[in-house]
Amino acid sequence: MDLVYGLVWLLTVLLEGISGQGVYAPPTVRIVHSGLACNIEEERYSERVYTIREGETLELTCLVTGHPRPQIRWTKTAGSASDRFQDSSVFNETLRITSIQRHQGGRYYCKAENGLGSPAIKSIRVDVYYLDDPVVTVHQSIGEAKEQFYYERTVFLRCVANSNPPVRYSWRRGQEVLLQGSDKGVEIYEPFFTQGETKILKLKNLRPQDYANYSCIASVRNVCNIPDKMVSFRLSNKTASPSIKLLVDDPIVVNPGEAITLVCVTTGGEPMPSLTWVRSFGTLPEKIVLNGGTLTIPAITSDDAGTYSCIANNNVGNPAKKSTNIIVRALKKGRFWITPDPYHKDDNIQIGREVKISCQVEAVPSEELTFSWFKNGRPLRSSERMVITQTDPDVSPGTTNLDIIDLKFTDFGTYTCVASLKGGGISDISIDVNISSSTDPPAVEPAFLEIRQGQDRSVTMSCRVLRAYPIRVLTYEWRLGNKLLRTGQFDSQEYTEYPLKSLSNENYGVYNCSIINEAGAGRCSFLVTGKAYAPEFYYDTYNPVWQNRHRVYSYSLQWTQMNPDAVDRIVAYRLGIRQAGQQRWWEQEIKINGNIQKGELITYNLTELIKPEAYEVRLTPLTKFGEGDSTIRVIKYTAPVNPHLREFHCGFEDGNICLFTQDDTDNFDWTKQSTATRNTKYTPNTGPNADRSGSKEGFYMYIETSRPRLEGEKARLLSPVFSIAPKNPYGPTNSAYCFSFFYHMYGQHIGVLNVYLRLKGQTTIENPLWSSSGNKGQRWNEAHVNIYPITSFQLIFEGIRGPGIEGDIAIDDVSIAEGECAKQDLPTKNSVDGAVGILVHIWLFPVIILISILSPRR
């Protein structure tokens, strides 16, 4: 069936090509499947169900027709497919998931749209089948105080296994198959609330023959070739639930940097329990060392504090659990406050008044906290006029107070509160407080506020006092430029306002409100304008180069408008564009119909741009009141992401490094770097001192071979998947491309740089394409290789660490162009730098050629 649909799709594409560019058609879509499916149910209840075994490869292909060529996106129920897969696969015709997991089941949608009519959407539901190992647990019907199973006890053996589809269970005692009713002392049933996922074997009033080896077999009836799984349990008169003991104190109080060892031992249980450690909040620290029931935390920190529990489990009864609390001594977050507060109240520190200085810190453990007070560096003792107290921990923990009764001039000075822990080993915290008689100029808000409003509207500006001393003599004045508008004096209020009832061109400008006392002035400034806000360019447009011809390209320019209705409706934008480095702007107006919504993404396509030139673009909103503020950005030509490949170039300058990805199977990763941003502690005598163009700010990719890297470890960088241009099915089946890149291999410990070609479907077979090893000197070298892919492909850069740290390898300016490389660019057999180029030329047998003609092509 899929082959027929493939032929129909191929004929449709060919007819579109014959009809020419003048024929427009809305998109159509069809999902076909390949990979390792167990079962396909077509159009069941208006949907298709694709059943697959967990760990196999899912491959769905979306066949589309329509002109212009529709854009494709894969999504999944309850989220985008990009949440779970690499972005490079979400926008391809083929969605491929290697080693699919159970949580990746669900309904997948293929959406195609080309701007004509409604988008075309098709879906298919993926059902992932699996069977986990069953687990048998043993329980008694009457408590477990004696921790033994006696004749008068009734015992339950519960078997549980996670599966899809639902599991079926069977029981054996030795070699005997146990069935309901086959033994009066045995009952088998499934609790209703578990929906068949649990099977219970009940042994009533244990008999001697009940002490035996029991086996639970879980089966999903061999669907998707999933074999049955079995678990066994030996029941004896010694079977008992676990018990343990912790050989440590509770709590444990330690200093940062110390090593702590927790020891947990079993004191009972048959079969022998297994021991695990858990933490009450969060996961165990990565640095811990586990050895059986012993847990060691080296160089402990405050982040490692908390309750640690040892759990013993042998699937008999309930697990045993013992816990201890680790407390790491710490002092942090010291602060102070003064009563009365000279910064927030209409009062100040005055002679003859009482002043209280409060000092607070966070201490662990709080019972070890002690305080000391100093004045101008000399210790203070509590007296009738200077009273030192410590606040009740339940009211304000970690707080000490110094009350100065009847403040005198001689009391002015610097007071220091020192917090420490009795156990020692922790640095003290010191907090200095200066007590003096002084005045404070007003602190006000807002310091600056921009107000944008259209004409004939009202505006009220408000300037608020945050703190000032003395506050009773505050005055204010409002000005527009140098023109005095209003003056006055504060009474009980904390702010002053200036209203504008109806805005006009004469009202626009900068308004200043000055609030003044004898210590100085605070100023609020307001810019009142009728200009619309500047637009904000959207830099995350996927594949903005939407047309890519031989000499010119088109660019999809997108932006949003900040507060689009702040002044008045935006009726148009003035677009200015000029080639980078030129002086003259070419301008045109972009009309806007209707109101722009907040957050709306506006798109305008720039056409006939010369490759590979960069352009400056200026965008200015227009309202009936005139021009708004402008914004400028630079657009650059970059090859489209995964096109029908004509040309590709990557200098690793953009944030997503041209959709190159790190291989998950290697030892370490390639790193993006420029000379200007590299670590000052970089290894000398290796690595580039600039990018390939000689720029210190330009980026490149490199492998860092410093410790902890070891000789022979590999870092692999994967290119995006490229689709080759469709060919006439009766013409040649191979396409030639010139693949080139620059490489830098400088250092006495240089290892190996390999390049591989991976064709679609060859997930484990990689064709060696190029290789070089050894020191090539402090320079960039260029490599050219012809490749002849017959299907979609990837390029893989593999860097191998040499015998020492002076072995950094870098690459830059990776290019792929249609057509073979110039002969003078290809390597010779006696290559000077030792690089080996291998021309990859893969031919297909006639039957494979036939299949490729009949199958849909991207």
Side-chain angles (χ1 to χ4, degrees):
M1 182 64 69
D2 289 336
L3 184 59
V4 173
Y5 284 117
L7 285 170
V8 172
W9 176 84
L10 180 61
L11 290 173
T12 304
V13 172
L14 291 173
L15 288 174
E16 286 183 2
I18 294 171
S19 301
Q21 298 295 321
V23 179
Y24 295 93
T28 65
V29 64
R30 171 76 179 174
I31 297 177
V32 298
H33 46 75
S34 57
L36 302 173
C38 304
N39 184 37
I40 309 295
E41 297 184 27
E42 301 287 348
E43 308 297 343
R44 189 182 76 175
Y45 306 111
S46 302
E47 73 172 350
R48 306 173 71 201
V49 181
Y50 181 106
T51 304
I52 188 170
R53 179 175 173 176
E54 187 174 50
E56 302 291 359
T57 297
L58 170 71
E59 189 168 297
L60 302 175
T61 301
C62 190
L63 305 181
V64 298
T65 63
H67 185 78
R69 176 72 174 172
Q71 294 182 341
I72 296 173
R73 179 177 176 85
W74 283 96
T75 57
K76 182 177 181 290
T77 302
S80 169
S82 62
D83 296 338
R84 299 162 178 84
F85 315 112
Q86 294 180 355
D87 287 344
S88 59
S89 69
V90 173
F91 298 95
N92 290 342
E93 289 90 336
T94 299
L95 177 66
R96 180 181 176 87
I97 308 174
T98 303
S99 187
I100 192 168
Q101 300 302 305
R102 63 192 68 178
H103 68 273
Q104 293 172 318
R107 183 173 289 108
Y108 288 81
Y109 297 85
C110 176
K111 178 180 179 181
E113 54 185 340
N114 62 356
L116 298 178
S118 300
I121 302 175
K122 287 291 184 181
S123 68
I124 186 170
R125 186 162 65 85
V126 176
D127 201 1
V128 181
Y129 278 7
Y130 59 90
L131 173 60
D132 291 344
D133 292 330
V135 176
V136 168
T137 56
V138 182
H139 303 270
Q140 292 186 103
S141 61
I142 307 174
E144 296 180 2
K146 294 184 179 180
E147 301 181 348
Q148 294 286 334
F149 289 85
Y150 295 100
Y151 290 132
E152 67 271 15
R153 302 294 186 187
T154 295
V155 173
F156 298 87
L157 277 70
R158 178 178 288 120
C159 186
V160 180
N162 296 319
S163 71
N164 183 32
V167 68
R168 291 183 180 178
Y169 300 92
S170 58
W171 285 95
R172 292 181 187 172
R173 180 167 55 199
Q175 298 300 319
E176 175 191 3
V177 177
L178 296 177
L179 301 174
Q180 183 66 29
S182 63
D183 186 331
K184 292 182 179 180
V186 176
E187 290 184 8
I188 303 174
Y189 61 95
E190 297 177 357
F192 173 75
F193 61 86
T194 62
Q195 299 180 353
E197 295 179 358
T198 301
K199 192 83 166 187
I200 294 180
L201 182 68
K202 180 180 180 181
L203 306 177
K204 299 180 292 184
N205 294 325
L206 284 177
R207 305 161 299 177
Q209 63 266 33
D210 291 330
Y211 293 110
N213 190 48
Y214 291 85
S215 299
C216 171
I217 298 95
S219 173
V220 290
R221 300 162 297 288
N222 204 37
V223 295
C224 285
N225 296 319
I226 298 176
D228 297 347
K229 295 189 177 182
M230 183 178 72
V231 62
S232 298
F233 185 88
R234 178 70 180 177
L235 182 65
S236 71
N237 60 358
K238 295 183 179 180
T239 300
S241 57
S243 60
I244 57 174
K245 182 179 181 181
L246 280 184
L247 305 181
V248 294
D249 297 330
D250 183 30
I252 303 172
V253 182
V254 296
N255 289 329
E258 294 181 0
I260 300 300
T261 299
L262 309 179
V263 180
C264 177
V265 296
T266 58
T267 57
E270 175 67 31
M272 177 61 70
S274 63
L275 298 177
T276 57
W277 282 94
V278 297
R279 192 179 179 188
S280 58
F281 297 102
T283 59
L284 291 173
E286 294 183 359
K287 62 187 176 183
I288 66 164
V289 179
L290 281 172
N291 183 11
T294 301
L295 180 147
T296 301
I297 309 176
I300 198 166
T301 67
S302 296
D303 293 336
D304 303 325
T307 301
Y308 288 73
S309 301
C310 175
I311 299 175
N313 188 16
N314 63 353
N315 291 339
V316 179
N318 295 320
K321 180 178 179 181
K322 296 288 185 180
S323 303
T324 185
N325 186 30
I326 297 179
I327 300 173
V328 181
R329 289 189 177 92
L331 284 174
K332 53 186 176 180
K333 294 185 179 178
R335 70 186 189 98
F336 77 92
W337 63 94
I338 303 173
T339 307
D341 190 341
Y343 298 106
H344 293 87
K345 296 184 179 180
D346 186 13
D347 205 343
N348 194 25
I349 299 174
Q350 297 178 7
I351 300 295
R353 296 284 301 272
E354 178 181 346
V355 176
K356 177 189 284 187
I357 307 172
S358 300
C359 171
Q360 185 181 56
V361 297
E362 292 184 15
V364 180
S366 58
E367 58 270 18
E368 293 188 4
L369 177 63
T370 62
F371 287 102
S372 302
W373 281 94
F374 298 83
K375 178 188 175 185
N376 297 329
R378 295 182 178 181
L380 276 179
R381 299 286 184 267
S382 187
S383 64
E384 291 184 358
R385 210 171 57 79
M386 290 197 174
V387 182
I388 299 174
T389 59
Q390 195 152 336
T391 305
D392 186 340
D394 294 332
V395 178
S396 181
T399 304
T400 181
N401 305 297
L402 173 63
D403 284 282
I404 306 176
I405 312 299
D406 186 18
L407 183 71
K408 301 181 183 299
F409 179 79
T410 55
D411 294 329
F412 292 146
T414 299
Y415 290 81
T416 304
C417 162
V418 178
S420 58
L421 293 178
K422 294 178 182 178
I426 305 297
S427 299
D428 298 343
I429 290 182
S430 297
I431 303 172
D432 291 334
V433 184
N434 188 53
I435 301 296
S436 62
S437 178
S438 62
T439 58
D440 294 313
V444 298
E445 69 172 5
F448 177 81
L449 181 64
E450 191 175 288
I451 302 175
R452 295 178 185 255
Q453 286 283 14
Q455 295 182 12
D456 301 325
R457 298 183 187 179
S458 63
V459 168
T460 298
M461 293 164 279
S462 177
C463 185
R464 179 176 298 273
V465 180
L466 296 178
R467 62 178 181 269
Y469 183 80
I471 198 170
R472 296 186 182 88
V473 292
L474 285 177
T475 60
Y476 65 83
E477 60 181 32
W478 285 90
R479 291 180 180 271
L480 173 59
N482 294 322
K483 179 182 178 182
L484 181 64
L485 303 175
R486 178 189 294 177
T487 61
Q489 186 168 340
F490 280 86
D491 295 324
S492 59
Q493 80 276 17
E494 298 179 349
Y495 62 91
T496 175
E497 292 182 338
Y498 188 80
L500 295 172
K501 294 182 178 180
S502 180
L503 283 175
S504 62
N505 288 332
E506 291 75 19
N507 298 134
Y508 292 141
V510 177
Y511 290 77
N512 291 312
C513 173
S514 298
I515 297 178
I516 308 163
N517 69 2
E518 61 188 52
R523 174 178 291 181
C524 299
S525 294
F526 304 86
L527 172 62
V528 181
T529 177
K531 286 188 173 184
Y533 283 96
E536 295 181 347
F537 282 115
Y538 182 69
Y539 288 88
D540 296 329
T541 305
Y542 179 79
N543 201 10
V545 180
W546 59 277
Q547 283 187 355
N548 187 28
R549 302 205 299 271
H550 181 59
R551 297 184 181 276
V552 298
Y553 67 98
S554 298
Y555 195 93
S556 185
L557 188 70
Q558 294 185 306
W559 68 90
T560 58
Q561 179 62 49
M562 181 190 300
N563 297 332
D565 299 321
V567 174
D568 199 73
R569 187 179 78 83
I570 295 175
V571 297
Y573 285 92
R574 179 172 294 120
L575 173 71
I577 185 169
R578 66 184 179 187
Q579 211 173 98
Q582 301 296 320
Q583 298 296 320
R584 182 177 180 182
W585 291 94
W586 296 92
E587 295 186 332
Q588 67 180 96
E589 284 195 2
I590 304 171
K591 298 294 184 182
I592 299 296
N593 297 320
N595 293 328
I596 300 173
Q597 302 300 315
K598 185 177 181 180
E600 178 182 349
L601 190 63
I602 306 169
T603 302
Y604 184 79
N605 294 322
L606 304 174
T607 60
E608 302 300 319
L609 304 178
I610 301 172
K611 293 167 60 177
E613 299 295 334
Y615 290 84
E616 278 188 283
V617 177
R618 181 177 64 195
L619 204 58
T620 308
L622 304 177
T623 69
K624 66 181 181 182
F625 301 119
E627 293 186 355
D629 289 337
S630 300
T631 187
I632 296 177
R633 69 163 290 187
V634 175
I635 61 173
K636 297 181 180 180
Y637 172 77
T638 56
V641 177
N642 194 19
H644 288 306
L645 184 61
R646 301 292 184 189
E647 182 179 68
F648 172 84
H649 177 79
C650 179
F652 303 111
E653 301 296 329
D654 58 343
N656 62 8
I657 58 172
C658 313
L659 293 183
F660 275 73
T661 55
Q662 307 284 353
D663 192 343
D664 294 333
T665 64
D666 57 7
N667 306 110
F668 64 108
D669 289 343
W670 288 76
T671 303
K672 176 182 174 181
Q673 178 162 286
S674 70
T675 306
T677 61
R678 67 182 176 185
N679 193 312
T680 56
K681 299 180 180 179
Y682 69 93
T683 306
N685 302 320
T686 188
N689 53 23
D691 76 345
R692 195 281 302 177
S693 67
S695 170
K696 301 289 186 181
E697 288 75 29
F699 289 91
Y700 52 86
M701 300 295 290
Y702 88 110
I703 62 169
E704 173 58 62
T705 57
S706 299
R707 295 181 179 84
R709 301 276 67 87
L710 303 175
E711 183 175 5
E713 288 188 342
K714 299 178 180 179
R716 290 162 59 88
L717 188 67
L718 311 182
S719 76
V721 177
F722 297 107
S723 297
I724 64 172
K727 294 294 184 180
N728 186 327
Y730 303 103
T733 59
N734 60 313
S735 302
Y737 295 93
C738 179
F739 161 56
S740 65
F741 62 99
F742 285 83
Y743 60 99
H744 191 284
M745 302 172 70
Y746 168 56
Q748 61 176 334
H749 302 135
I750 290 293
V752 181
L753 176 61
N754 296 321
V755 183
Y756 298 95
L757 178 71
R758 176 188 289 174
L759 297 178
K760 177 185 176 184
Q762 296 185 355
T763 56
T764 58
I765 301 175
E766 296 168 355
N767 304 297
L769 193 64
W770 183 93
S771 181
S772 185
S773 61
N775 187 356
K776 303 296 183 292
Q778 179 59 279
R779 67 179 182 275
W780 287 94
N781 302 284
E782 188 174 13
H784 293 80
V785 184
N786 286 328
I787 57 177
Y788 304 87
I790 46 80
T791 184
S792 301
F793 66 96
Q794 275 182 295
L795 294 163
I796 303 171
F797 289 90
E798 179 186 78
I800 303 178
R801 202 257 199 191
I805 62 174
E806 295 182 10
D808 295 354
I809 298 174
I811 59 172
D812 199 1
D813 287 355
V814 178
S815 297
I816 305 174
E818 192 173 32
E820 294 187 341
C821 304
K823 291 185 178 180
Q824 61 267 28
D825 292 333
L826 293 174
T828 62
K829 293 184 179 179
N830 298 321
S831 180
V832 175
D833 63 1
V836 178
I838 306 169
L839 301 183
V840 176
H841 210 125
I842 301 175
W843 300 95
L844 301 179
F845 292 104
V847 63
I848 302 176
I849 298 173
L850 178 60
I851 293 174
S852 68
I853 294 173
L854 296 178
S855 301
R857 303 291 294 274
R858 290 189 289 171

